[in-house]
mmCIF file of all heavy atoms in Angstrom:
data_model
loop_
_atom_site.group_PDB
_atom_site.id
_atom_site.type_symbol
_atom_site.label_atom_id
_atom_site.label_comp_id
_atom_site.label_asym_id
_atom_site.label_seq_id
_atom_site.Cartn_x
_atom_site.Cartn_y
_atom_site.Cartn_z
ATOM 1 N N ARG A 86 -24.464 0.678 17.393
ATOM 2 C CA ARG A 86 -25.306 -0.149 18.249
ATOM 3 C C ARG A 86 -26.579 0.674 18.884
ATOM 4 O O ARG A 86 -27.634 0.138 18.854
ATOM 5 C CB ARG A 86 -24.346 -0.667 19.381
ATOM 6 C CG ARG A 86 -25.137 -1.540 20.410
ATOM 7 C CD ARG A 86 -24.192 -1.874 21.519
ATOM 8 N NE ARG A 86 -23.417 -0.822 22.171
ATOM 9 C CZ ARG A 86 -23.901 0.107 23.032
ATOM 10 N NH1 ARG A 86 -25.231 0.096 23.294
ATOM 11 N NH2 ARG A 86 -23.218 1.086 23.486
ATOM 12 N N VAL A 87 -26.304 1.917 19.314
ATOM 13 C CA VAL A 87 -27.346 2.599 19.936
ATOM 14 C C VAL A 87 -28.384 2.997 18.974
ATOM 15 O O VAL A 87 -29.588 2.915 19.201
ATOM 16 C CB VAL A 87 -26.793 3.772 20.793
ATOM 17 C CG1 VAL A 87 -27.938 4.735 21.372
ATOM 18 C CG2 VAL A 87 -25.835 3.425 21.894
ATOM 19 N N GLY A 88 -27.902 3.427 17.799
ATOM 20 C CA GLY A 88 -28.839 3.800 16.776
ATOM 21 C C GLY A 88 -29.672 2.636 16.350
ATOM 22 O O GLY A 88 -30.989 2.745 16.150
ATOM 23 N N ALA A 89 -29.103 1.394 16.197
ATOM 24 C CA ALA A 89 -29.943 0.206 15.883
ATOM 25 C C ALA A 89 -30.963 -0.079 16.923
ATOM 26 O O ALA A 89 -32.129 -0.405 16.708
ATOM 27 C CB ALA A 89 -29.028 -0.905 15.723
ATOM 28 N N GLU A 90 -30.550 0.059 18.232
ATOM 29 C CA GLU A 90 -31.463 -0.186 19.341
ATOM 30 C C GLU A 90 -32.557 0.755 19.374
ATOM 31 O O GLU A 90 -33.787 0.366 19.497
ATOM 32 C CB GLU A 90 -30.667 -0.097 20.667
ATOM 33 C CG GLU A 90 -29.671 -1.294 20.873
ATOM 34 C CD GLU A 90 -28.701 -1.036 22.121
ATOM 35 O OE1 GLU A 90 -28.834 0.000 22.734
ATOM 36 O OE2 GLU A 90 -27.863 -1.930 22.306
ATOM 37 N N LEU A 91 -32.276 2.033 19.103
ATOM 38 C CA LEU A 91 -33.401 3.098 19.060
ATOM 39 C C LEU A 91 -34.371 2.811 17.895
ATOM 40 O O LEU A 91 -35.582 3.167 18.068
ATOM 41 C CB LEU A 91 -32.728 4.464 18.904
ATOM 42 C CG LEU A 91 -32.065 4.938 20.237
ATOM 43 C CD1 LEU A 91 -31.275 6.209 19.901
ATOM 44 C CD2 LEU A 91 -33.081 5.179 21.347
ATOM 45 N N LEU A 92 -33.925 2.229 16.904
ATOM 46 C CA LEU A 92 -34.789 1.935 15.714
ATOM 47 C C LEU A 92 -35.470 0.564 15.875
ATOM 48 O O LEU A 92 -36.198 0.126 15.058
ATOM 49 C CB LEU A 92 -34.052 1.938 14.473
ATOM 50 C CG LEU A 92 -33.490 3.348 13.965
ATOM 51 C CD1 LEU A 92 -32.507 3.122 12.788
ATOM 52 C CD2 LEU A 92 -34.620 4.188 13.667
ATOM 53 N N GLY A 93 -35.268 -0.063 16.973
ATOM 54 C CA GLY A 93 -35.818 -1.460 17.318
ATOM 55 C C GLY A 93 -35.172 -2.534 16.481
ATOM 56 O O GLY A 93 -35.795 -3.619 16.301
ATOM 57 N N LEU A 94 -33.930 -2.301 15.998
ATOM 58 C CA LEU A 94 -33.205 -3.215 15.209
ATOM 59 C C LEU A 94 -32.031 -3.805 15.812
ATOM 60 O O LEU A 94 -31.213 -4.537 15.264
ATOM 61 C CB LEU A 94 -32.719 -2.619 13.879
ATOM 62 C CG LEU A 94 -33.864 -2.004 12.981
ATOM 63 C CD1 LEU A 94 -33.236 -1.167 11.821
ATOM 64 C CD2 LEU A 94 -34.755 -3.089 12.467
ATOM 65 N N GLY A 95 -31.870 -3.570 17.186
ATOM 66 C CA GLY A 95 -30.675 -3.972 17.891
ATOM 67 C C GLY A 95 -30.449 -5.484 17.986
ATOM 68 O O GLY A 95 -29.300 -6.002 18.077
ATOM 69 N N ALA A 96 -31.550 -6.279 17.857
ATOM 70 C CA ALA A 96 -31.354 -7.727 17.834
ATOM 71 C C ALA A 96 -30.779 -8.218 16.545
ATOM 72 O O ALA A 96 -30.245 -9.335 16.500
ATOM 73 C CB ALA A 96 -32.714 -8.372 18.132
ATOM 74 N N ARG A 97 -30.832 -7.431 15.533
ATOM 75 C CA ARG A 97 -30.430 -7.916 14.204
ATOM 76 C C ARG A 97 -29.106 -7.265 13.722
ATOM 77 O O ARG A 97 -28.248 -7.825 13.042
ATOM 78 C CB ARG A 97 -31.502 -7.581 13.110
ATOM 79 C CG ARG A 97 -32.668 -8.522 13.140
ATOM 80 C CD ARG A 97 -33.558 -8.284 11.944
ATOM 81 N NE ARG A 97 -32.873 -7.877 10.718
ATOM 82 C CZ ARG A 97 -33.313 -6.858 9.906
ATOM 83 N NH1 ARG A 97 -34.422 -6.206 10.171
ATOM 84 N NH2 ARG A 97 -32.610 -6.620 8.857
ATOM 85 N N VAL A 98 -28.934 -5.929 14.064
ATOM 86 C CA VAL A 98 -27.828 -5.164 13.526
ATOM 87 C C VAL A 98 -27.272 -4.242 14.568
ATOM 88 O O VAL A 98 -27.832 -4.117 15.669
ATOM 89 C CB VAL A 98 -28.233 -4.358 12.246
ATOM 90 C CG1 VAL A 98 -28.605 -5.236 11.104
ATOM 91 C CG2 VAL A 98 -29.231 -3.377 12.563
ATOM 92 N N GLY A 99 -26.155 -3.582 14.253
ATOM 93 C CA GLY A 99 -25.691 -2.502 15.137
ATOM 94 C C GLY A 99 -24.307 -2.925 15.874
ATOM 95 O O GLY A 99 -23.537 -2.086 16.345
ATOM 96 N N SER A 100 -24.102 -4.179 15.916
ATOM 97 C CA SER A 100 -22.815 -4.669 16.506
ATOM 98 C C SER A 100 -22.498 -6.039 15.849
ATOM 99 O O SER A 100 -23.282 -6.631 15.247
ATOM 100 C CB SER A 100 -23.008 -4.867 18.023
ATOM 101 O OG SER A 100 -24.027 -5.748 18.300
ATOM 102 N N VAL A 101 -21.159 -6.376 15.966
ATOM 103 C CA VAL A 101 -20.687 -7.548 15.407
ATOM 104 C C VAL A 101 -20.730 -8.660 16.462
ATOM 105 O O VAL A 101 -19.928 -8.712 17.389
ATOM 106 C CB VAL A 101 -19.173 -7.392 14.910
ATOM 107 C CG1 VAL A 101 -18.701 -8.708 14.255
ATOM 108 C CG2 VAL A 101 -19.072 -6.265 13.966
ATOM 109 N N VAL A 102 -21.850 -9.405 16.370
ATOM 110 C CA VAL A 102 -22.114 -10.380 17.366
ATOM 111 C C VAL A 102 -22.679 -11.647 16.570
ATOM 112 O O VAL A 102 -23.428 -11.469 15.566
ATOM 113 C CB VAL A 102 -23.270 -9.977 18.336
ATOM 114 C CG1 VAL A 102 -23.569 -11.074 19.258
ATOM 115 C CG2 VAL A 102 -22.748 -8.762 19.188
ATOM 116 N N ALA A 103 -22.222 -12.874 16.985
ATOM 117 C CA ALA A 103 -22.769 -14.131 16.349
ATOM 118 C C ALA A 103 -24.249 -14.024 16.322
ATOM 119 O O ALA A 103 -24.909 -13.816 17.364
ATOM 120 C CB ALA A 103 -22.171 -15.255 17.013
ATOM 121 N N GLY A 104 -24.890 -14.396 15.163
ATOM 122 C CA GLY A 104 -26.316 -14.488 15.045
ATOM 123 C C GLY A 104 -26.954 -13.199 14.497
ATOM 124 O O GLY A 104 -28.055 -13.271 13.967
ATOM 125 N N LYS A 105 -26.191 -12.119 14.476
ATOM 126 C CA LYS A 105 -26.801 -10.890 13.901
ATOM 127 C C LYS A 105 -26.391 -10.898 12.418
ATOM 128 O O LYS A 105 -25.512 -11.535 11.971
ATOM 129 C CB LYS A 105 -26.108 -9.673 14.604
ATOM 130 C CG LYS A 105 -26.716 -9.374 15.918
ATOM 131 C CD LYS A 105 -26.304 -8.018 16.508
ATOM 132 C CE LYS A 105 -26.820 -7.766 17.839
ATOM 133 N NZ LYS A 105 -26.600 -6.471 18.256
ATOM 134 N N ASP A 106 -27.168 -10.022 11.640
ATOM 135 C CA ASP A 106 -26.873 -9.832 10.231
ATOM 136 C C ASP A 106 -25.492 -9.349 10.106
ATOM 137 O O ASP A 106 -25.005 -8.543 10.901
ATOM 138 C CB ASP A 106 -27.857 -8.809 9.614
ATOM 139 C CG ASP A 106 -29.276 -9.358 9.453
ATOM 140 O OD1 ASP A 106 -29.508 -10.552 9.859
ATOM 141 O OD2 ASP A 106 -30.139 -8.484 9.116
ATOM 142 N N ALA A 107 -24.756 -9.747 9.131
ATOM 143 C CA ALA A 107 -23.338 -9.263 8.865
ATOM 144 C C ALA A 107 -23.459 -8.051 8.053
ATOM 145 O O ALA A 107 -23.303 -8.074 6.777
ATOM 146 C CB ALA A 107 -22.577 -10.420 8.191
ATOM 147 N N ASP A 108 -23.859 -6.910 8.658
ATOM 148 C CA ASP A 108 -23.866 -5.642 7.916
ATOM 149 C C ASP A 108 -22.621 -4.921 8.387
ATOM 150 O O ASP A 108 -22.476 -4.505 9.607
ATOM 151 C CB ASP A 108 -25.145 -4.846 8.396
ATOM 152 C CG ASP A 108 -26.412 -5.405 7.857
ATOM 153 O OD1 ASP A 108 -26.364 -6.363 7.050
ATOM 154 O OD2 ASP A 108 -27.424 -4.939 8.237
ATOM 155 N N LEU A 109 -21.653 -4.801 7.484
ATOM 156 C CA LEU A 109 -20.313 -4.274 7.898
ATOM 157 C C LEU A 109 -19.790 -3.255 6.787
ATOM 158 O O LEU A 109 -20.192 -3.356 5.629
ATOM 159 C CB LEU A 109 -19.318 -5.478 7.919
ATOM 160 C CG LEU A 109 -19.591 -6.662 8.768
ATOM 161 C CD1 LEU A 109 -18.658 -7.712 8.540
ATOM 162 C CD2 LEU A 109 -19.516 -6.250 10.243
ATOM 163 N N VAL A 110 -19.000 -2.376 7.303
ATOM 164 C CA VAL A 110 -18.240 -1.465 6.410
ATOM 165 C C VAL A 110 -16.818 -1.702 6.729
ATOM 166 O O VAL A 110 -16.369 -1.742 7.857
ATOM 167 C CB VAL A 110 -18.576 0.015 6.725
ATOM 168 C CG1 VAL A 110 -17.688 0.929 5.893
ATOM 169 C CG2 VAL A 110 -20.127 0.299 6.455
ATOM 170 N N VAL A 111 -16.091 -2.045 5.609
ATOM 171 C CA VAL A 111 -14.600 -2.366 5.781
ATOM 172 C C VAL A 111 -13.863 -1.141 5.298
ATOM 173 O O VAL A 111 -14.143 -0.642 4.125
ATOM 174 C CB VAL A 111 -14.228 -3.620 4.981
ATOM 175 C CG1 VAL A 111 -12.713 -3.848 5.092
ATOM 176 C CG2 VAL A 111 -15.052 -4.816 5.437
ATOM 177 N N LEU A 112 -12.981 -0.536 6.081
ATOM 178 C CA LEU A 112 -12.255 0.654 5.832
ATOM 179 C C LEU A 112 -10.849 0.299 5.414
ATOM 180 O O LEU A 112 -10.253 -0.640 5.924
ATOM 181 C CB LEU A 112 -12.228 1.610 6.993
ATOM 182 C CG LEU A 112 -13.602 2.023 7.560
ATOM 183 C CD1 LEU A 112 -13.360 2.869 8.814
ATOM 184 C CD2 LEU A 112 -14.417 2.680 6.482
ATOM 185 N N ASP A 113 -10.239 1.051 4.460
ATOM 186 C CA ASP A 113 -8.957 0.871 4.037
ATOM 187 C C ASP A 113 -8.112 2.014 4.619
ATOM 188 O O ASP A 113 -8.108 3.179 4.130
ATOM 189 C CB ASP A 113 -8.857 0.886 2.493
ATOM 190 C CG ASP A 113 -7.443 0.727 1.956
ATOM 191 O OD1 ASP A 113 -6.466 0.664 2.708
ATOM 192 O OD2 ASP A 113 -7.397 0.581 0.656
ATOM 193 N N PRO A 114 -7.197 1.725 5.668
ATOM 194 C CA PRO A 114 -6.488 2.788 6.261
ATOM 195 C C PRO A 114 -5.303 3.297 5.350
ATOM 196 O O PRO A 114 -4.720 4.314 5.745
ATOM 197 C CB PRO A 114 -5.986 2.161 7.573
ATOM 198 C CG PRO A 114 -5.919 0.694 7.256
ATOM 199 C CD PRO A 114 -7.051 0.411 6.252
#
Side-chain angles (χ1 to χ4, degrees):
R86 181 185 49 77
V87 176
E90 289 168 1
L91 289 169
L92 292 170
L94 301 172
R97 284 190 33 225
V98 297
S100 59
V101 180
V102 175
K105 288 190 176 186
D106 291 351
D108 292 353
L109 306 167
V110 175
V111 178
L112 303 175
D113 181 354

